[in-house]
Amino acid sequence: MKKQLLILSLLFFLITISCKENENNKVEINNKEVSEKRFENTVFSFTYPEDWNITDGEAIEEGIFYLSVEKKGLDASGLITIVSYEELIDLDESILMNIEQLQDNPVLNDFSFDEIVDSQYNTVSSRSSQFNFKTMGMKHEGMIYAFSSPTNSVVILKQEAVEDRKENAEGFDTIKNSFKIK
Protein backbone atom coordinates (compact mmCIF):
# COMPACT_ATOMS: atom_id res chain seq x y z
CA MET A 1 0.00 0.00 0.00
CA LYS A 2 2.95 2.36 0.53
CA LYS A 3 3.70 2.02 -3.17
CA GLN A 4 0.15 3.03 -3.98
CA LEU A 5 0.26 6.11 -1.81
CA LEU A 6 3.68 7.04 -3.17
CA ILE A 7 2.16 6.94 -6.62
CA LEU A 8 -0.70 9.14 -5.36
CA SER A 9 1.75 11.73 -4.10
CA LEU A 10 3.74 11.70 -7.32
CA LEU A 11 0.58 12.07 -9.36
CA PHE A 12 -0.53 14.87 -7.05
CA PHE A 13 2.39 16.98 -8.26
CA LEU A 14 2.49 15.78 -11.88
CA ILE A 15 -1.09 16.51 -12.86
CA THR A 16 -1.81 16.45 -16.58
CA ILE A 17 -4.77 17.60 -18.60
CA SER A 18 -7.11 14.72 -19.45
CA CYS A 19 -10.69 15.72 -18.73
CA LYS A 20 -13.24 12.97 -18.21
CA GLU A 21 -16.75 14.30 -17.87
CA ASN A 22 -20.04 12.43 -17.83
CA GLU A 23 -22.86 14.94 -18.13
CA ASN A 24 -23.77 18.58 -17.53
CA ASN A 25 -26.36 19.61 -14.96
CA LYS A 26 -27.70 23.02 -13.99
CA VAL A 27 -28.24 24.03 -10.37
CA GLU A 28 -29.59 27.26 -8.92
CA ILE A 29 -27.27 28.94 -6.39
CA ASN A 30 -28.17 32.35 -4.94
CA ASN A 31 -30.95 32.72 -7.56
CA LYS A 32 -28.55 32.29 -10.47
CA GLU A 33 -28.18 29.24 -12.63
CA VAL A 34 -24.79 27.56 -12.39
CA SER A 35 -23.66 24.77 -14.67
CA GLU A 36 -22.33 21.65 -13.03
CA LYS A 37 -20.71 18.52 -14.31
CA ARG A 38 -20.95 15.03 -12.87
CA PHE A 39 -18.34 12.30 -12.39
CA GLU A 40 -19.25 8.72 -11.56
CA ASN A 41 -17.37 5.44 -11.42
CA THR A 42 -17.88 2.09 -9.69
CA VAL A 43 -16.83 3.38 -6.23
CA PHE A 44 -17.92 7.05 -5.98
CA SER A 45 -19.74 9.93 -7.66
CA PHE A 46 -19.97 13.71 -7.28
CA THR A 47 -20.84 16.90 -9.12
CA TYR A 48 -18.49 19.83 -9.62
CA PRO A 49 -18.94 23.39 -10.90
CA GLU A 50 -18.29 24.44 -14.48
CA ASP A 51 -15.27 26.48 -13.34
CA TRP A 52 -13.49 23.29 -12.14
CA ASN A 53 -11.89 20.59 -14.33
CA ILE A 54 -11.01 16.96 -13.95
CA THR A 55 -7.33 17.18 -14.85
CA ASP A 56 -6.29 13.57 -14.33
CA GLY A 57 -8.03 10.26 -13.89
CA GLU A 58 -6.53 6.82 -14.20
CA ALA A 59 -6.44 3.33 -12.80
CA ILE A 60 -3.22 3.03 -10.79
CA GLU A 61 -3.62 -0.72 -10.64
CA GLU A 62 -6.47 -3.20 -10.46
CA GLY A 63 -9.05 -1.88 -8.00
CA ILE A 64 -7.30 1.46 -7.33
CA PHE A 65 -8.36 4.64 -9.15
CA TYR A 66 -6.86 8.15 -8.97
CA LEU A 67 -8.70 11.36 -9.87
CA SER A 68 -7.67 15.02 -9.69
CA VAL A 69 -10.10 17.95 -9.82
CA GLU A 70 -8.81 21.55 -10.02
CA LYS A 71 -10.30 25.01 -10.15
CA LYS A 72 -9.77 26.54 -13.59
CA GLY A 73 -7.42 29.48 -13.98
CA LEU A 74 -3.73 30.19 -14.13
CA ASP A 75 -3.68 31.64 -10.61
CA ALA A 76 -6.26 29.22 -9.14
CA SER A 77 -5.14 26.98 -6.29
CA GLY A 78 -8.16 24.78 -5.49
CA LEU A 79 -7.29 21.09 -5.80
CA ILE A 80 -8.92 17.83 -4.77
CA THR A 81 -7.34 14.45 -5.36
CA ILE A 82 -9.34 11.29 -4.81
CA VAL A 83 -7.98 7.76 -4.60
CA SER A 84 -10.54 4.98 -4.42
CA TYR A 85 -9.95 1.38 -3.45
CA GLU A 86 -12.24 -1.51 -4.26
CA GLU A 87 -11.35 -2.95 -0.85
CA LEU A 88 -11.17 -1.80 2.75
CA ILE A 89 -7.97 -0.08 3.88
CA ASP A 90 -6.68 1.19 7.22
CA LEU A 91 -7.93 4.80 7.24
CA ASP A 92 -5.43 6.26 9.71
CA GLU A 93 -2.52 4.51 8.00
CA SER A 94 -3.56 5.94 4.63
CA ILE A 95 -3.70 9.46 6.09
CA LEU A 96 -0.28 9.04 7.71
CA MET A 97 1.22 7.78 4.44
CA ASN A 98 -0.11 10.85 2.63
CA ILE A 99 1.31 13.10 5.34
CA GLU A 100 4.68 11.36 5.06
CA GLN A 101 4.74 11.90 1.29
CA LEU A 102 3.84 15.57 1.71
CA GLN A 103 6.56 15.99 4.36
CA ASP A 104 9.13 14.46 1.99
CA ASN A 105 8.25 16.81 -0.87
CA PRO A 106 11.09 19.33 -1.27
CA VAL A 107 8.75 21.94 -2.83
CA LEU A 108 6.72 22.22 0.39
CA ASN A 109 8.18 24.32 3.22
CA ASP A 110 7.09 24.66 6.86
CA PHE A 111 4.82 21.62 6.55
CA SER A 112 2.71 20.91 9.64
CA PHE A 113 -0.31 18.74 10.33
CA ASP A 114 -2.87 18.16 13.06
CA GLU A 115 -3.69 14.87 14.73
CA ILE A 116 -6.10 12.50 13.00
CA VAL A 117 -9.65 12.98 14.25
CA ASP A 118 -13.17 11.72 13.59
CA SER A 119 -15.02 13.90 11.08
CA GLN A 120 -17.61 13.89 8.31
CA TYR A 121 -17.24 14.12 4.55
CA ASN A 122 -20.72 14.96 3.31
CA THR A 123 -22.80 12.47 5.31
CA VAL A 124 -20.07 9.83 5.62
CA SER A 125 -18.19 9.29 8.88
CA SER A 126 -14.50 9.69 8.20
CA ARG A 127 -11.09 10.21 9.71
CA SER A 128 -9.20 13.38 8.80
CA SER A 129 -6.15 15.52 9.40
CA GLN A 130 -5.63 19.17 8.54
CA PHE A 131 -2.27 20.33 7.15
CA ASN A 132 -0.48 23.57 6.27
CA PHE A 133 2.59 24.44 4.21
CA LYS A 134 4.24 27.18 2.20
CA THR A 135 5.31 26.89 -1.38
CA MET A 136 6.82 29.69 -3.44
CA GLY A 137 6.21 32.00 -0.46
CA MET A 138 2.43 31.34 -0.37
CA LYS A 139 0.64 29.76 2.57
CA HIS A 140 -1.52 26.75 1.73
CA GLU A 141 -3.87 24.67 3.82
CA GLY A 142 -5.60 21.40 3.28
CA MET A 143 -7.33 18.36 4.65
CA ILE A 144 -6.93 14.64 4.12
CA TYR A 145 -10.11 12.59 4.57
CA ALA A 146 -10.30 8.80 4.60
CA PHE A 147 -13.52 6.78 4.81
CA SER A 148 -15.09 3.50 3.78
CA SER A 149 -18.35 1.94 2.74
CA PRO A 150 -18.91 -1.74 3.55
CA THR A 151 -16.78 -2.75 0.52
CA ASN A 152 -14.79 0.28 -0.71
CA SER A 153 -12.46 2.94 0.69
CA VAL A 154 -11.70 6.50 -0.44
CA VAL A 155 -8.94 8.95 0.45
CA ILE A 156 -9.52 12.61 -0.45
CA LEU A 157 -6.86 15.29 -0.29
CA LYS A 158 -8.16 18.86 -0.51
CA GLN A 159 -5.82 21.87 -0.64
CA GLU A 160 -5.73 25.56 -1.54
CA ALA A 161 -3.76 28.76 -1.09
CA VAL A 162 -5.04 30.54 2.03
CA GLU A 163 -5.65 33.70 -0.01
CA ASP A 164 -7.99 31.77 -2.36
CA ARG A 165 -10.38 30.43 0.31
CA LYS A 166 -13.30 32.58 -0.82
CA GLU A 167 -12.85 31.77 -4.53
CA ASN A 168 -12.60 28.01 -3.86
CA ALA A 169 -15.37 27.66 -1.25
CA GLU A 170 -18.29 27.07 -3.63
CA GLY A 171 -16.41 24.43 -5.62
CA PHE A 172 -15.21 22.56 -2.55
CA ASP A 173 -18.74 22.67 -1.07
CA THR A 174 -20.36 21.45 -4.29
CA ILE A 175 -18.02 18.47 -4.50
CA LYS A 176 -18.29 17.61 -0.80
CA ASN A 177 -22.07 18.01 -0.57
CA SER A 178 -22.68 15.81 -3.61
CA PHE A 179 -20.04 13.13 -2.89
CA LYS A 180 -21.35 9.58 -2.57
CA ILE A 181 -19.40 6.37 -1.94
CA LYS A 182 -20.90 3.10 -3.15
Side-chain angles (χ1 to χ4, degrees):
M1 182 155 58
K2 285 187 179 186
K3 175 185 164 191
Q4 297 160 354
L5 292 173
L6 175 61
I7 292 171
L8 165 67
S9 295
L10 292 174
L11 290 172
F12 173 77
F13 293 103
L14 300 173
I15 297 170
T16 60
I17 304 298
S18 65
C19 295
K20 294 182 180 177
E21 302 164 1
N22 283 351
E23 61 186 70
N24 287 330
N25 299 311
K26 297 214 183 242
V27 173
E28 195 168 299
I29 297 176
N30 297 328
N31 295 326
K32 66 178 183 177
E33 204 171 84
V34 177
S35 282
E36 290 186 338
K37 301 174 189 176
R38 181 158 182 77
F39 178 88
E40 185 165 355
N41 70 10
T42 59
V43 177
F44 64 92
S45 64
F46 64 92
T47 57
Y48 57 101
E50 189 72 34
D51 63 342
W52 287 64
N53 272 335
I54 292 178
T55 55
D56 197 9
E58 64 183 291
I60 295 174
E61 60 183 63
E62 183 70 30
I64 302 173
F65 183 77
Y66 168 83
L67 187 74
S68 176
V69 187
E70 294 183 67
K71 182 156 176 64
K72 291 180 186 176
L74 189 57
D75 293 334
S77 67
L79 170 67
I80 291 182
T81 62
I82 304 167
V83 178
S84 64
Y85 302 85
E86 292 179 6
E87 64 181 330
L88 298 179
I89 61 170
D90 183 293
L91 303 179
D92 285 7
E93 184 179 317
S94 66
I95 291 171
L96 290 172
M97 290 176 146
N98 275 274
I99 288 170
E100 183 179 307
Q101 293 303 313
L102 290 167
Q103 285 175 318
D104 291 342
N105 189 314
V107 177
L108 307 183
N109 300 306
D110 302 329
F111 183 83
S112 65
F113 63 95
D114 294 342
E115 67 180 83
I116 299 172
V117 297
D118 290 329
S119 63
Q120 293 279 122
Y121 194 81
N122 193 1
T123 59
V124 181
S125 295
S126 66
R127 300 286 287 159
S128 66
S129 176
Q130 186 171 345
F131 62 89
N132 298 285
F133 64 87
K134 285 184 185 176
T135 187
M136 295 186 274
M138 293 183 69
K139 292 181 181 181
H140 285 69
E141 62 187 8
M143 235 10 199
I144 302 170
Y145 296 93
F147 49 90
S148 297
S149 70
T151 56
N152 301 305
S153 297
V154 172
V155 178
I156 296 178
L157 187 145
K158 167 196 150 196
Q159 77 170 52
E160 65 186 328
V162 172
E163 68 183 30
D164 292 342
R165 269 189 210 139
K166 186 176 180 181
E167 293 84 5
N168 294 330
E170 184 179 310
F172 283 140
D173 287 346
T174 298
I175 293 168
K176 183 177 183 177
N177 294 336
S178 66
F179 196 92
K180 304 240 185 302
I181 184 172
K182 300 175 184 179

